[in-house]
Amino acid sequence: MKTVVTWLWNGPRGYKPEHVNVLASMFRRNLSEHRFVCITNETKGFDSGVELMPIPEAAAQLGRLKTPELNGFPSCYQRLWMFSKEAKTLGKKVLLVDVDLVLTASVEHLFAYNVPFVGWKPKASWGGTNRIGGGIYLIKPGAHTEVFEDFKGQESINEARKAGFRGSDQAWISYKLAHKVPVWPEVGIYSVRDFKGHPPSDACLIQFNGLEKPWNAKKQWVEQFWC
């Protein structure tokens, strides 16, 4: 069975269980039978369709690391646990997603790739032109365990930064996997910054990477899909 995974922890952007519930609802409308898993230490406020998994201790330790970016940017190093051997418990094929995404059409085709890992290459050059976005990728758990096992905290943060990559977990993922793994072609994944007005006609998933979020966006099309 397909698995969709998102993470929720206390951070500067104010993500809440109710946001996870809406994300799960959008996936139910746009993806055939699947598990929807939220890795979190929160226990209340979730709908019955959200399967909860406590944050593993190994991930929690990484979550204590600070991002080298300016204040207000989230530190997402704990998500590197997705590349651990233990992550095999999540299933055979997992779509990792940020909470702040809007689905506008079916995402069935994103699971069609039968390879260990498929990343999304953002169009914006921030963080390096070869970077892999940290907020959405398809992985067969147990693949590329070197991303988790080779991470040595601040030493690795500095290493990825020196190589020109920006962000927290996405900097390290990009440093380890760029040029080594496939990325989705034009499959309808966009950043909200990629367009003005209504999303492109081929859009299926819009990432709100920035301070604007679906729950505070003043856009008519968001109200249509974010529910």
Side-chain angles (χ1 to χ4, degrees):
M1 181 185 295
K2 299 179 288 290
T3 305
V4 178
V5 171
T6 195
W7 290 65
L8 180 69
W9 64 82
N10 291 327
R13 298 274 171 96
Y15 301 124
K16 300 177 181 179
E18 63 194 67
H19 302 147
V20 175
N21 292 339
V22 176
L23 182 64
S25 175
M26 290 187 291
F27 270 99
R28 283 195 295 271
R29 295 196 303 271
N30 292 288
L31 182 64
S32 61
E33 186 178 5
H34 64 277
R35 294 171 63 199
F36 186 96
V37 179
C38 181
I39 302 179
T40 181
N41 287 334
E42 299 285 337
T43 58
K44 298 180 180 179
F46 296 95
D47 291 341
S48 59
V50 178
E51 180 181 335
L52 301 181
M53 174 181 171
I55 296 176
E57 179 55 32
Q61 291 180 12
L62 297 181
R64 300 184 184 105
L65 293 167
K66 294 182 179 180
T67 175
E69 303 301 333
L70 299 175
N71 292 336
F73 278 80
S75 174
C76 305
Y77 293 109
Q78 54 196 308
R79 293 192 306 196
L80 293 175
W81 179 86
M82 297 293 297
F83 294 88
S84 70
K85 295 177 181 177
E86 289 73 22
K88 289 182 179 180
T89 59
L90 294 172
K92 295 183 178 180
K93 189 177 287 189
V94 173
L95 182 69
L96 179 282
V97 294
D98 278 334
V99 175
D100 51 1
L101 303 179
V102 175
L103 278 69
T104 59
S106 172
V107 293
E108 203 76 44
H109 59 292
L110 299 184
F111 281 86
Y113 296 79
N114 192 28
V115 292
F117 179 94
V118 184
W120 175 57
K121 185 180 184 300
K123 293 179 176 61
S125 61
W126 182 93
T129 56
N130 297 317
R131 71 183 170 113
I132 296 171
I136 174 170
Y137 52 78
L138 185 72
I139 187 171
K140 290 184 177 181
H144 295 292
T145 55
E146 70 274 11
V147 175
F148 178 76
E149 295 171 354
D150 292 352
F151 185 73
K152 308 302 180 185
Q154 192 61 52
E155 177 184 342
S156 297
I157 293 172
N158 295 340
E159 192 175 349
R161 187 82 169 184
K162 186 177 180 180
F165 294 106
R166 300 283 301 276
S168 55
D169 61 331
Q170 82 164 6
W172 182 246
I173 293 170
S174 298
Y175 176 67
K176 296 293 287 185
L177 298 183
H179 298 305
K180 299 179 182 178
V181 296
V183 295
W184 278 298
E186 297 294 329
V187 290
I189 302 175
Y190 292 90
S191 163
V192 71
R193 300 173 179 178
D194 291 337
F195 59 90
K196 294 182 179 180
H198 202 273
S201 60
D202 67 335
C204 68
L205 192 155
I206 311 296
Q207 185 182 56
F208 277 70
N209 47 343
L211 296 178
E212 183 184 41
K213 298 302 176 187
W215 45 91
N216 62 27
K218 297 179 180 179
K219 295 178 170 65
Q220 186 175 8
W221 68 265
V222 175
E223 295 180 3
Q224 177 184 353
F225 297 107
W226 175 256
C227 57

